[in-house]
Amino acid sequence: MHRFLATIIFVFSLASVAAHAGQGDWQVVKASQQVTYTLDKQSWQSVRVGDTVPNAAWVSTGPKGRVQLARGAESLIFQPNTLAGLFTSGFIETKTEIVQRTGVLDLEIEKRGRPHTTVQTPFLAAVVKGTNFRVTVSKSAANVGVNRGLVQVTSFQTGQRTNVGAGQRASVDSVKGMTVSGVVSKPTVTSVAPSAAKVAPIGNQLNGSRAATSGNKSTSSGVSKGGLGATNGQGKNSRGDDGKSGGVGNSKGSNGSNDHGGGNGNGGGGGKGGDNS
């Protein structure tokens, strides 16, 4: 009898661990072409409806790429030319950090007792308890617009902070700092200590195609490998120089490490990327 009970407990424990092991994964609900993801920042996988995007993946869309990811009651919609990493940690009480380098994300986040989702951009952090909102990131600014719920927005450079409610917006510019607006009223801005962003800005050129990491010719999304170093550099050079515009580039790519991104795609050569060790 004791052996039987021990077996039941063991099986239940395995099932519980297996359930938690995949809790950070996202399911692909809708997808167009020009949508890829990577786990190693080198090889990119195409995304199709029904696929699973694993935890800690970077997802990228091309100029015509769109994808909707779902996890329970939560949903992420990547608009064209968007690059973001999805990271979930914790066992009993999970927390999700979305690292958005550029582009537009529409988010539907489940309401819980405590804030459990954060969106990190090069200019601001958005802490979410449960809401529907949009985050837009360019090479010089980021903004948060809320449709429902409440989002706490903090500017890294100036230390300005505000709670953005439905019908309100907060924008953070690399030069001007934070500005707020609202349909009925503006949110109140307070001050906290300035801090450093976890992610560096990126230029107009995105990394998001398999060709961008393999040294092949340009794809329809026209992205450069130079963007990969700038995008995913986590080591010594967390920010690489973005590829400079130069018409239809066809410069030599690199199949090795991402220390130097050879240019690919419309936009010419890429700059030196971060050390991805």
Side-chain angles (χ1 to χ4, degrees):
M1 182 66 178
H2 291 292
R3 181 176 296 179
F4 175 76
L5 290 175
T7 302
I8 294 296
I9 293 172
F10 177 72
V11 171
F12 177 79
S13 298
L14 287 179
S16 178
V17 170
H20 282 284
Q23 65 187 353
D25 297 347
W26 295 84
Q27 300 300 314
V28 180
V29 177
K30 298 179 181 178
S32 66
Q33 296 181 351
Q34 301 182 0
V35 181
T36 55
Y37 79 86
T38 183
L39 287 170
D40 60 9
K41 305 172 187 176
Q42 294 182 358
S43 58
W44 292 79
Q45 306 291 326
S46 296
V47 170
R48 297 178 177 84
V49 174
D51 287 351
T52 297
V53 175
N55 187 30
W58 285 86
V59 179
S60 179
T61 58
K64 297 182 179 180
R66 286 183 176 84
V67 64
Q68 180 179 359
L69 306 180
R71 188 177 64 185
E74 299 184 328
S75 173
L76 304 176
I77 298 177
F78 286 65
Q79 300 295 345
N81 288 332
T82 299
L83 176 64
L86 312 175
F87 306 91
T88 297
S89 60
F91 186 73
I92 297 176
E93 185 177 353
T94 61
K95 291 187 177 182
T96 297
E97 184 174 72
I98 299 169
V99 183
Q100 184 177 349
R101 294 302 304 272
T102 191
V104 179
L105 275 180
D106 293 304
L107 303 94
E108 177 77 34
I109 302 300
E110 180 183 16
K111 186 176 182 179
R112 299 183 193 170
R114 298 180 181 180
H116 58 91
T117 299
T118 302
V119 182
Q120 296 282 349
T121 79
F123 310 101
L124 61 82
V127 180
V128 187
K129 184 174 182 179
T131 184
N132 179 282
F133 66 111
R134 167 174 282 195
V135 180
T136 303
V137 181
S138 68
K139 63 181 180 181
S140 61
N143 66 75
V144 175
V146 177
N147 299 317
R148 185 183 69 252
L150 193 69
V151 178
Q152 182 188 81
V153 178
T154 304
S155 168
F156 297 121
Q157 183 176 355
T158 63
Q160 295 168 293
R161 174 174 290 175
T162 186
N163 290 320
V164 183
Q168 296 179 331
R169 178 182 300 272
S171 300
V172 176
D173 187 278
S174 59
V175 177
K176 299 178 181 178
M178 178 181 288
T179 58
V180 295
S181 61
V183 175
V184 177
S185 62
K186 297 180 180 179
T188 302
V189 179
T190 59
S191 296
V192 297
S195 58
K198 291 185 177 181
V199 56
I202 192 172
N204 291 330
Q205 300 226 326
L206 307 180
N207 168 61
S209 74
R210 289 162 290 175
T213 60
S214 64
N216 294 331
K217 295 183 179 180
S218 62
T219 65
S220 58
S221 58
V223 294
S224 71
K225 184 174 180 181
L228 180 60
T231 298
N232 297 325
Q234 300 291 333
K236 299 176 182 177
N237 299 315
S238 60
R239 176 179 177 178
D241 295 328
D242 298 310
K244 297 184 181 296
S245 166
V248 178
N250 218 6
S251 55
K252 185 177 181 181
S254 171
N255 289 318
S257 66
N258 290 325
D259 290 342
H260 294 78
N264 278 315
N266 296 332
K272 182 175 181 180
D275 184 352
N276 290 323
S277 58

